[in-house]
Amino acid sequence: MNWIFGIGLSCLAALNIATATPLVERSGSDLHKRCTYGADARDCWGDYDLSTDYYNEVPDTGVTREYWLELRNITAAPDGVERMVLSVNGTVPGPTLYADWGDNVVIHVTNSLQNNGTGVHWHGIRQNYTNPMDGVPSITQCPIAPGSSHTYRWRATQYGSTWYHSHFGLQAWEGVLGGIIINGPSTANYDEDLGMMFLNDWSHQTVDEQYMAAQLTGPPKQDNGLINGTNTYNTGGSRWSGTFTAGKRYRIRLVNAAVESHWKFTIDGHNMTVMANDLVPIVPFTTEILRIGMGQRYDIIVTASGDADTNYWLRAVPQTTCSENRNAADIRGIIRYSSASTTEDPTTSAYDAMSDDDCDDMDMSLLVPYLSKSVTLSSGETEDDDLAITNNKVNGLFKWYIGGTTMAVEWADPTLLQVWNNETTWESQSGVIELDTADEWVYFVIETAQGIPHPIHLHGHDFFILAQGTGTYSSSDVTLQTDNPPRRDTAMLPLSGYLVIAFQTDNPGAWLMHCHIGFHTSEGFALQFVERKDEISALLEPTYDNFNETCADWTAYATADDIVADDSGV
């Protein structure tokens, strides 16, 4: 099956990475240990290792990790300029959630925001047979009303680094985000784990204020960028800093959590060993500069090979091909060596290639999954559906279209509720593509004729990247890579180019696919795959009471306050 998409309080809070201690419950016995996991043996994990097919086999740890998250408005000054932000447990980014590969994870989310519904998406978590836990209002749930709570339950079937964020309006870029670390094996060894590193663009207006302008004139210019929630601006703010000890190897878990900025990331004078993209372990490769698109994650290892008496700049440079930033040259952190000054700024210089500006992915040839998998496509297949992705103005406001439709879905009538009620004559603005056959390989050609790149993110699956390039896609001219191609959940559609992806219909549910530029999603750049529809109601049944209560609370709130959506609903 094939498709073508063408584009023709009141208190000042410190913004930092917070951690939360979960309630941990165990049942059964611990994993047997056939290997000892450690700094020089990161490739094994109990009776499992990197060769374990984690899509089909997962450790049975008997552990449940339980977290409580509260979303609320606070006032903060991440770069020295005070403004309102939306926080998780009082910080931006919010607490990092930890689990081991195979654990069950339970998260209770309480909405204490002012005048905002919400829903939290666990970005990249496959949600294997747990689609109702994906956290997307209008698709898998109703929004959580102010004053209400909602519980999410899922299993950590993958391992590595990812993040959670609101999937309601533009809340993710107002501060409703945080890290997820799932401990497991890795394809390279290291001594210390420095945890999550979020790269955010930042405005001194709220993103919702920017959205009004974005609908009229296109994406606005950002004021600054943040590294783990902090940076300087003019004479205010402070820089992120970390300390290296010469000779040690450090793991850093990078997330591009920007609303519209594609980053080049580097540390002056150092190489990076890249060992995972998104939640997929890869054969390690070394680079001086890492390109990272919106929604993407990379796990890197940096060996402290620099001068022990020197401090070094860590740089995140937004690419002007994609977006504009008033402080593009000064989004920096500091790596301080343990023998160097603890107060002086570095004097190091960036690699020459940092001056090259582009919004491309890392080359496909570098992103080789360690666990090899191949795509099976039937002989003689052709692309027989052309769903054009275009942009246009409606009543003077920008909208993005897929196949002539811009997504507009209803908070109070999510897709799963429609399936539960057997109301599946889909409205065109729902953007539904049904995939009814189990375990079928499907692939999609996504194209743009415009000079605008887009990060394409799919929920519920890792997709296989069969081709990626500039120009017009032609099946007679482009050879699809089906033997262990790159595998991830977010990839760049190049400007004036194409992206060909494939996945297997092995996970029933309603799964969103969308551009991860926040403004574009709100302007309708999204569709959904209703996969194996006849199996979905059975997935919802065990948690239907929680689902129904959330919808009832939302309906009561929205009716009383006359709440009306002004975006796509996702």
Side-chain angles (χ1 to χ4, degrees):
M1 187 177 296
N2 332 281
W3 288 266
I4 296 179
F5 303 95
I7 296 195
L9 44 195
S10 58
C11 63
L12 193 66
L15 275 74
N16 55 12
I17 290 291
T19 60
T21 302
L23 174 67
V24 179
E25 296 181 357
R26 295 182 181 273
S27 62
S29 59
D30 290 339
L31 293 174
H32 298 294
K33 300 292 184 184
R34 68 169 173 78
C35 62
T36 302
Y37 178 80
D40 294 311
R42 301 285 186 184
D43 58 338
C44 67
W45 190 257
D47 270 346
Y48 303 83
D49 59 27
L50 288 165
S51 67
T52 303
D53 184 352
Y54 52 86
Y55 294 100
N56 297 301
E57 185 177 7
V58 181
D60 184 7
T61 64
V63 172
T64 297
R65 300 186 185 269
E66 194 165 9
Y67 291 91
W68 286 262
L69 303 180
E70 182 189 15
L71 315 185
R72 63 178 185 266
N73 298 58
I74 62 172
T75 299
D79 61 356
V81 179
E82 186 173 328
R83 52 156 283 195
M84 184 277 295
V85 301
L86 306 181
S87 70
V88 185
N89 290 5
T91 66
V92 178
T96 297
L97 310 183
Y98 294 87
D100 288 342
W101 181 23
D103 285 354
N104 292 294
V105 182
V106 179
I107 310 107
H108 308 282
V109 175
T110 297
N111 181 8
S112 298
L113 299 172
Q114 300 168 11
N115 308 314
N116 265 288
T118 198
V120 178
H121 171 57
W122 319 97
H123 185 110
I125 298 298
R126 189 167 172 239
Q127 300 293 356
N128 196 37
Y129 283 79
T130 53
N131 176 242
M133 301 295 129
D134 197 40
V136 185
S138 307
I139 308 296
T140 62
Q141 67 173 87
C142 296
I144 308 168
S148 296
S149 299
H150 187 83
T151 297
Y152 298 92
R153 304 173 187 273
W154 45 266
R155 192 166 180 210
T157 61
Q158 306 136 284
Y159 52 86
S161 310
T162 191
W163 60 311
Y164 61 88
H165 60 82
S166 171
H167 222 296
F168 185 90
L170 295 163
Q171 287 176 0
W173 301 284
E174 304 287 16
V176 183
L177 75 160
I180 300 174
I181 293 176
I182 302 173
N183 298 310
S186 61
T187 62
N189 295 323
Y190 57 92
D191 299 301
E192 293 186 21
D193 190 339
L194 297 184
M196 307 300 301
M197 179 170 285
F198 282 93
L199 308 179
N200 288 79
D201 45 22
W202 193 249
S203 169
H204 299 145
Q205 290 183 302
T206 68
V207 182
D208 287 281
E209 289 176 298
Q210 287 191 318
Y211 178 57
M212 302 310 294
Q215 292 182 94
L216 294 170
T217 60
K221 181 180 289 189
Q222 301 298 316
D223 290 314
N224 203 353
L226 308 177
I227 297 173
N228 269 359
T230 190
N231 195 26
T232 60
Y233 190 81
N234 293 333
T235 59
S238 62
R239 298 194 189 276
W240 178 90
S241 66
T243 301
F244 279 7
T245 298
K248 284 199 171 184
R249 301 161 297 179
Y250 295 90
R251 179 176 185 168
I252 301 174
R253 302 165 184 265
L254 289 168
V255 179
N256 182 343
V259 66
E260 62 170 352
S261 296
H262 186 108
W263 303 102
K264 282 188 177 176
F265 177 86
T266 189
I267 300 173
D268 292 354
H270 293 73
N271 290 328
M272 297 172 277
T273 298
V274 184
M275 65 177 186
N277 59 207
D278 299 348
L279 284 169
V280 177
I282 62 174
V283 177
F285 70 90
T286 301
T287 186
E288 295 172 346
I289 298 168
L290 188 62
R291 303 183 187 97
I292 178 167
M294 291 133 285
Q296 292 182 333
R297 292 87 66 211
Y298 283 100
D299 286 55
I300 64 171
I301 294 169
V302 182
T303 298
S305 57
D307 186 334
D309 296 321
T310 302
N311 294 324
Y312 294 84
W313 286 119
L314 176 152
R315 303 173 190 267
V317 179
Q319 303 301 284
T320 58
T321 302
C322 312
S323 62
E324 295 183 284
N325 193 298
R326 294 182 175 88
N327 201 35
D330 196 23
I331 302 168
R332 297 183 291 180
I334 301 173
I335 296 296
R336 299 191 184 279
Y337 272 73
S338 54
S339 300
S341 167
T342 59
T343 58
E344 293 181 5
D345 281 351
T347 58
T348 55
S349 300
Y351 290 109
D352 290 343
M354 286 295 285
S355 61
D356 299 335
D357 192 277
D358 67 73
C359 297
D360 297 332
D361 262 337
M362 299 301 291
D363 192 88
M364 284 180 59
S365 64
L366 297 172
L367 307 179
V368 180
Y370 186 92
L371 177 67
S372 181
K373 284 186 170 292
S374 296
V375 176
T376 302
L377 297 177
S378 301
S379 61
E381 284 191 299
T382 59
E383 301 78 42
D384 53 13
D385 287 291
D386 187 349
L387 302 181
I389 303 173
T390 58
N391 63 359
N392 198 359
K393 278 195 171 185
V394 177
N395 297 323
L397 303 178
F398 274 112
K399 296 292 181 185
W400 286 93
Y401 288 77
I402 301 179
T405 299
T406 183
M407 178 171 273
V409 283
E410 298 293 332
W411 289 326
D413 192 23
T415 304
L416 292 195
L417 182 60
Q418 294 177 60
V419 173
W420 179 269
N421 291 330
N422 199 29
E423 298 171 352
T424 54
T425 302
W426 311 109
E427 299 289 341
S428 62
Q429 65 265 28
S430 295
V432 168
I433 293 175
E434 289 197 23
L435 304 174
D436 292 329
T437 304
D439 300 319
E440 176 187 32
W441 281 101
V442 295
Y443 77 102
F444 305 86
V445 180
I446 309 169
E447 289 191 272
T448 173
Q450 298 174 326
I452 304 172
H454 300 277
I456 304 299
H457 173 53
L458 175 63
H459 295 213
H461 294 273
D462 289 331
F463 53 67
F464 295 67
I465 304 175
L466 306 187
Q468 185 181 42
T470 56
T472 301
Y473 174 79
S474 168
S475 59
S476 60
D477 297 331
V478 177
T479 300
L480 300 182
Q481 181 182 339
T482 58
D483 182 16
N484 197 32
R487 202 167 62 238
R488 61 189 317 169
D489 58 63
T490 310
M492 293 303 297
L493 167 62
L495 57 83
S496 303
Y498 57 85
L499 174 69
V500 185
I501 65 172
F503 63 90
Q504 199 168 18
T505 55
D506 58 3
N507 194 10
W511 304 113
L512 196 67
M513 186 172 79
H514 62 100
C515 176
H516 220 278
I517 296 172
F519 301 119
H520 292 185
T521 307
S522 289
E523 291 165 352
F525 195 151
L527 57 78
Q528 56 179 316
F529 300 111
V530 176
E531 183 176 340
R532 296 161 61 170
K533 178 179 63 180
D534 293 344
E535 301 174 51
I536 292 176
S537 290
L539 303 179
L540 181 58
E541 187 170 5
T543 57
Y544 179 75
D545 288 346
N546 184 38
F547 175 93
N548 190 50
E549 182 180 355
T550 297
C551 283
D553 289 348
W554 174 257
T555 298
Y557 166 73
T559 301
D561 289 63
D562 195 23
I563 302 298
V564 178
D566 62 357
D567 68 356
S568 63
V570 293

